[in-house]
């Protein structure tokens, strides 16, 4: 069931008006991570709430309470819950998005004012939030506008959940999802989130997995205070010597995790799954361009893609308490904390991986024969997520993508995390689809963030068409 | 030839007046490392210059030019050159000391005002500079005072070199020493520096060695910018993985240096030398009390002392460019610089050790098979120094110590560096003696720096007696 041709024509015809509305959204500097901008996030919630109501959505703004930032207690910006359609014969799709943005100022190195949407002649719509995540959110408003103006009933019921704290840990959202599970979110059949990116700049993508994380701090202490290396060098057990030795035993140059059992938990890809990676429109040149250096771990595209998407990874981030400044300080630091983290994939969980790391570190530390003290802290953790990409939700998105882009979408997994995805999947117990609007080079958290005009316009068509294909799948 | 008994009596009788003069010196906050205090360093130079003239020393204050600190060009504080006695039949002893001090403020954790000399009932004279180095400098003034008041000729000719930039790299001093080699310093037979400490709190010491240093920064770079570990973990060669691996190959938990050839350059101690370490009044409990932890590398006193004094040591200081803050940042740092240094002992020199380190690092990096880029920078270096402790200069100091303290002095080497020592030894081509006045727990660069009253008073007697014993040695 393709989307009505009139809808697609309308989107083309209205594209300047749509971009103008995106421009209005970008002009509100809704930076959630800076207390000084909190009123702007609230203004953005109010603005979006009005936009939704104008296209027929029943909404409520939800007070999420307070939180503490920079030592100050602040009101959280209100989330927006919305609903349109109550037809029990139709599927109900939950749409998530966020209206807050990352910080930005021209002095960071932007070529243009970050909160003025700048239309470049090459098609780029440049501005903070253009791609992450105001463009996708307004894509839904665009879809609704045609249905509202033409009084065309939507092919599915829609429920919306838009928040203003995503860039700062989605404070208050998990509790809201749990609270509204049998309330506002009752009867939701599937979820669609448009808040990630294509793998490249050419090929639309559907994303069905995210890695989890365990983040450790490995503390070694011994001296009562920092010591002078002239006076104490070769007389005492130096905490840095122990720490560096332990950190060197965690991962090898090939990216293999040396903690026994961690890599082993993940089974090898079967032929069908391997074929998914072979099909992806991605090259070693792409990964090296993105990294800014010719440093890919392999010249094999599938190896590199599987390393990012379906294998765990271990990165060494740095050391707290060691000498980190410029110059040549001859210090023996008294207490050092090595930071490292492991990205997890199913069936790994923080609960299953953390004990392996702890046992290994304890055993390796014992081998050192050091008189220093070792302590392993788990700072942060999150489970991985993988959806069934053969689910009708994905099938609908695939057909819609082919209809709009005349291309098969890449079926991707992200190496990072979007924690709300797991919250929806587990709390609502339904399939979650990540349906990106923007391209891999949009620079979501960087300077000169952009959304290509064609991604915004064709993406709007894609979102609308997806709803029709969900409805079609329901008939299957 | 012991010092005159009247001199020793005079020192006891004048001790309150001597402490009062030390109090005046401490009250001038001559912090050389802070531009705001530069006038105080100049004031201190003028004050000391007047003190020296008052006890009969011919002086000149020497303009050392300018230097740049915190982006400002500042005048260096004038050094003081002094001379008393021109008798060609006598030995000429060069005395070095410094009148500048480390920064200090009560808020650092001092129990008393750092620039008010506080006499504790346990005998401690607490104040910044009391031990490092105003007490020892004024010890010489005390000695001169009796000779001046009683018109007793000194047993040797004295030349003085006092500077006000020691705590900030002795800027300008090397050039002055070279310039005055055949001028003010002409005819110097030996040097005496009182600017270090006893090994413990009980036993006077003579110090005949200092370690040198090579300080490296090992840079690894690869990505064009910092990367997100979710997106790039297990897809690229991470600079931190390479750096930690290389740093782990430099030193083992026993303090052995793993760079081939470095430890081998130093011959084992022979029976005579080993006996020196066995005789030292020092215990494992002492080193652990000083370090603030039960972390000595060995329970063998001689092993630990030789590790500090006559063996090279390698310490890992930290990493520039890695994540060093609190919290859990999931960054893959793009460029990291590992800082490590090796303390050198004769016959090692920076020129002989640096190539060994470079060759080893290059070969180990090649083994990694990494696509990142490695670069080894030498940030800083200095040669080690060891004096002939059988020289008459040491013999004089030993006899003087036994006369005043009724104890054989510890014959020590310091693990750290006092660069001016090497400058004097090489430029003037003569024996240099380090004759400490203070104890191992004086806290020279810490809060609550102190000099014990008995160390100041007996130390004054020691300095005077040493001059008489130098004269006696000259007769041998
Ligand atoms: Zn986002
Ligand atoms: Zn974002
Ligand atoms: Zn000093
Ligand atoms: Zn000092």
């Amino acid at each position: 069931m393709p989307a009505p041709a009139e809808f697609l024509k309308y989107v083309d015809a209205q594209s300047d008006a749509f971009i103008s509305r995106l421009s209005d959204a970008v002009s509100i500097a809704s930076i959630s991570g800076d207390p000084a901008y909190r009123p702007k996030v609230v203004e953005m919630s109010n603005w979006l709430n009005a936009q939704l109501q104008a296209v027929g959505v029943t909404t409520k703004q939800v007070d999420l309470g307070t939180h503490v930032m920079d030592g100050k207690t602040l009101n959280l910006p209100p989330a927006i819950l919305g609903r349109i359609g109550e037809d029990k014969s139709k599927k109900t799709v939950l749409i998530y998005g966020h209206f807050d943005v990352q910080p930005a100022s021209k002095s960071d190195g932007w070529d243009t004012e970050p909160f003025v949407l700048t239309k470049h002649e090459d098609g780029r719509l440049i501005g903070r939030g253009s791609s992450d995540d105001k463009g996708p959110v307004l894509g839904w408003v665009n879809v609704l506008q045609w249905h509202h103006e033409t009084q065309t009933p939507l092919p599915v019921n829609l429920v919306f959940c838009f928040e203003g704290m995503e860039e700062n840990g989605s404070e208050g959202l998990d509790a809201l999802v749990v609270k509204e599970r049998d309330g506002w979110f009752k009867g939701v059949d599937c979820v669609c989130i448009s808040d990630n990116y294509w793998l490249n700049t050419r090929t639309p993508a559907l994303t069905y997995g995210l890695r989890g994380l365990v983040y450790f701090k490995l503390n070694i202490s011994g001296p009562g205070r920092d010591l002078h290396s002239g006076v104490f060098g070769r007389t005492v057990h130096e905490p840095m010597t122990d720490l560096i030795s332990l950190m060197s035993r965690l991962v090898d140059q090939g990216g293999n995790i040396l903690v026994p059992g961690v890599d082993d938990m993940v089974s090898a890809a079967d032929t069908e799954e391997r074929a998914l990676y072979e099909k992806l429109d991605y090259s070693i040149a792409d990964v090296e361009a993105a990294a800014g250096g010719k440093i890919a771990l392999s010249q094999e595209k599938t190896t590199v893609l599987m390393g990012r998407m379906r294998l765990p990874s271990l990165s060494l981030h740095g050391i707290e308490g060691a000498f980190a400044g410029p110059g040549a300080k001859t210090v023996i630091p008294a207490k050092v904390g090595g930071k490292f983290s492991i990205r997890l994939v199913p069936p790994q969980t923080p609960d299953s991986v953390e004990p392996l790391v702890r046992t290994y570190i304890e055993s390796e530390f014992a081998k050192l024969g050091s008189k220093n003290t070792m302590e392993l802290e788990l700072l942060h953790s999150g489970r991985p997520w993988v959806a069934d990409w053969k689910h009708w939700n994905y099938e609908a998105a695939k057909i819609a993508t082919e209809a709009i882009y005349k291309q098969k979408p890449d079926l991707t997994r992200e190496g990072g995390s979007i924690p709300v995805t797991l919250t929806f999947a587990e709390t609502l117990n339904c399939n979650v689809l990540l349906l990106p609007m923007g391209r891999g080079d949009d620079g979501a958290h960087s300077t000169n963030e952009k959304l290509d005009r064609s991604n915004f316009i064709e993406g709007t068509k894609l979102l609308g068409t997806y709803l029709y294909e969900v409805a079609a799948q329901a008939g299957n």
Side-chain angles (χ1 to χ4, degrees), chain A residues 383-398:
Chain A
R383 275 171 298 153
W385 164 80
V386 169
D388 172 14
W389 54 271
K390 297 177 184 171
H391 189 275
W392 51 257
N393 193 23
Y394 280 80
E395 193 59 26
K398 180 166 165 272

Side-chain angles (χ1 to χ4, degrees), chain A residues 266-334:
Chain A
V266 182
S267 57
D270 61 19
T271 316
E272 181 182 17
E273 192 185 351
R274 177 170 280 274
L276 289 179
Y277 294 98
E278 280 160 6
K279 265 186 280 183
L280 294 179
D281 183 7
Y282 205 59
S283 68
I284 297 300
D286 286 328
V287 75
E288 293 189 331
K294 295 202 169 295
I295 54 172
L297 274 179
S298 165
Q299 290 308 308
E300 274 286 309
K301 172 183 104 173
T302 40
T303 302
V304 169
L305 282 171
M306 287 169 59
R308 165 172 164 180
M309 296 183 182
R310 70 158 335 266
L311 290 179
S313 63
L314 193 154
S315 294
L316 307 172
H317 306 297
I319 301 175
E320 190 176 337
F323 172 49
K329 193 174 171 190
T330 55
V331 66
I332 297 175

Side-chain angles (χ1 to χ4, degrees), chain A residues 98 100-102 131-133 166-168 195 197 444-445 449:
Chain A
H98 65 91
D100 62 319
V101 296
Q102 284 280 322
S131 184
D132 180 19
D133 188 33
E166 198 275 342
E167 301 293 5
N168 205 56
D195 188 24
Y197 308 92
H445 290 192
E449 176 182 348

Side-chain angles (χ1 to χ4, degrees), chain A residues 4-200:
Chain A
E6 292 73 22
F7 163 69
L8 302 177
K9 271 187 226 147
Y10 178 88
V11 173
D12 282 328
Q14 293 292 318
S15 55
D16 284 345
F18 290 165
I19 290 167
S20 167
R21 179 159 54 203
L22 179 58
S23 184
D24 293 346
V26 165
S27 73
I28 304 170
S30 52
I31 302 166
S32 55
D34 185 337
Y37 285 84
R38 186 56 51 89
K40 288 287 174 188
V41 191
V42 175
E43 180 184 338
M44 187 67 205
S45 177
N46 295 337
W47 182 89
L48 179 59
N49 188 55
Q51 297 295 323
L52 290 165
Q53 289 181 346
V55 293
V57 182
T58 304
T59 66
K60 71 170 178 184
Q61 285 176 282
V62 183
D63 180 355
L64 297 177
T66 62
H67 74 136
V68 175
M69 182 181 276
D70 296 354
K72 275 178 278 190
T73 298
L74 294 175
N75 288 317
L76 288 162
I80 304 170
L81 296 180
R83 181 183 295 151
I84 183 165
E86 306 253 11
D87 186 335
K88 295 231 187 283
S89 71
K90 294 178 179 171
K91 289 278 186 206
T92 299
V93 180
L94 170 61
I95 307 296
Y96 164 87
H98 65 91
F99 51 82
D100 62 319
V101 296
Q102 284 280 322
S105 80
K106 191 140 191 301
S107 64
D108 295 339
W110 284 71
D111 296 329
T112 59
E113 283 298 333
F115 295 104
V116 174
L117 191 76
T118 305
K119 287 156 241 157
H120 195 278
E121 60 187 16
D122 62 10
R124 283 181 297 150
L125 306 171
I126 301 162
R128 176 55 88 220
S130 57
S131 184
D132 180 19
D133 188 33
K134 290 176 176 176
V137 166
L138 290 183
W140 293 110
V141 176
N142 298 342
V143 169
L144 294 171
Q145 182 174 313
W146 177 78
H147 291 83
H148 187 66
E149 284 188 8
T150 60
Q151 302 218 349
T152 310
L154 284 156
V156 294
N157 305 315
L158 288 178
V159 173
F160 295 95
C161 176
F162 295 126
E163 66 158 324
M165 283 299 286
E166 198 275 342
E167 301 293 5
N168 205 56
S170 290
E171 293 238 24
L173 192 72
D174 277 9
L176 177 66
V177 175
V178 170
K179 177 164 171 267
E180 294 290 349
R181 177 178 52 194
D182 302 315
W184 200 274
F185 301 141
K186 191 167 181 195
V188 164
D189 293 300
C190 68
V191 180
C192 179
I193 299 176
S194 190
D195 188 24
N196 69 311
Y197 308 92
W198 298 354
L199 192 52
N200 55 36

Side-chain angles (χ1 to χ4, degrees), chain A residues 170-452:
Chain A
S170 290
E171 293 238 24
L173 192 72
D174 277 9
L176 177 66
V177 175
V178 170
K179 177 164 171 267
E180 294 290 349
R181 177 178 52 194
D182 302 315
W184 200 274
F185 301 141
K186 191 167 181 195
V188 164
D189 293 300
C190 68
V191 180
C192 179
I193 299 176
S194 190
D195 188 24
N196 69 311
Y197 308 92
W198 298 354
L199 192 52
N200 55 36
T201 59
R202 307 172 292 271
T203 321
L206 315 182
T207 302
Y208 69 100
L210 297 165
R211 293 199 284 194
L213 183 74
V214 277
Y215 197 115
F216 293 99
K217 184 175 176 214
L218 172 55
N219 298 308
I220 310 278
S221 56
R225 59 180 188 287
D226 286 0
L227 303 178
H228 187 277
S229 70
V231 181
F232 287 95
R234 209 156 185 162
T235 71
V236 297
H237 288 279
E238 300 186 13
M240 275 292 279
T241 306
D242 296 351
L243 179 65
I244 295 286
S245 183
L246 291 177
M247 290 177 81
S248 78
R249 299 169 197 215
L250 296 171
V251 61
D252 73 14
Q253 267 61 37
N256 301 297
I257 298 175
L258 302 178
V259 180
V262 172
D263 274 353
D264 303 339
M265 294 169 86
V266 182
S267 57
D270 61 19
T271 316
E272 181 182 17
E273 192 185 351
R274 177 170 280 274
L276 289 179
Y277 294 98
E278 280 160 6
K279 265 186 280 183
L280 294 179
D281 183 7
Y282 205 59
S283 68
I284 297 300
D286 286 328
V287 75
E288 293 189 331
K294 295 202 169 295
I295 54 172
L297 274 179
S298 165
Q299 290 308 308
E300 274 286 309
K301 172 183 104 173
T302 40
T303 302
V304 169
L305 282 171
M306 287 169 59
R308 165 172 164 180
M309 296 183 182
R310 70 158 335 266
L311 290 179
S313 63
L314 193 154
S315 294
L316 307 172
H317 306 297
I319 301 175
E320 190 176 337
F323 172 49
K329 193 174 171 190
T330 55
V331 66
I332 297 175
K335 181 173 180 174
V336 287
K339 309 278 181 77
F340 66 96
S341 68
I342 306 179
R343 297 275 166 183
L344 306 177
V345 297
Q348 297 172 324
T349 63
D351 287 348
S352 65
V353 170
E354 194 227 351
L356 296 179
V357 175
R358 192 169 293 281
T359 301
Y360 177 65
I361 293 276
E362 282 169 359
S363 132
E364 294 302 302
F365 181 69
K367 285 183 200 167
L368 297 184
S370 170
K371 292 183 188 164
N372 290 318
T373 301
M374 186 278 291
E375 175 207 27
L376 184 67
E377 279 181 83
L378 179 67
L379 293 191
H380 183 58
S381 69
R383 275 171 298 153
W385 164 80
V386 169
D388 172 14
W389 54 271
K390 297 177 184 171
H391 189 275
W392 51 257
N393 193 23
Y394 280 80
E395 193 59 26
K398 180 166 165 272
I399 296 170
T401 303
E402 288 170 357
I404 300 303
Y405 284 104
K406 319 297 178 203
Q407 268 182 286
K408 277 196 202 309
D410 277 340
L411 206 49
T412 67
R413 285 163 68 170
E414 289 274 353
S417 309
I418 309 176
V420 72
T421 308
L422 198 70
T423 305
F424 283 129
E426 299 195 338
T427 307
L428 307 184
N429 195 26
C430 67
N431 184 276
V432 179
L433 162 74
L434 303 188
L435 182 59
M437 174 179 273
R439 302 183 188 179
D441 67 348
D442 280 359
H445 290 192
S446 300
T447 52
N448 301 325
E449 176 182 348
K450 59 86 179 171
L451 177 67
D452 291 274

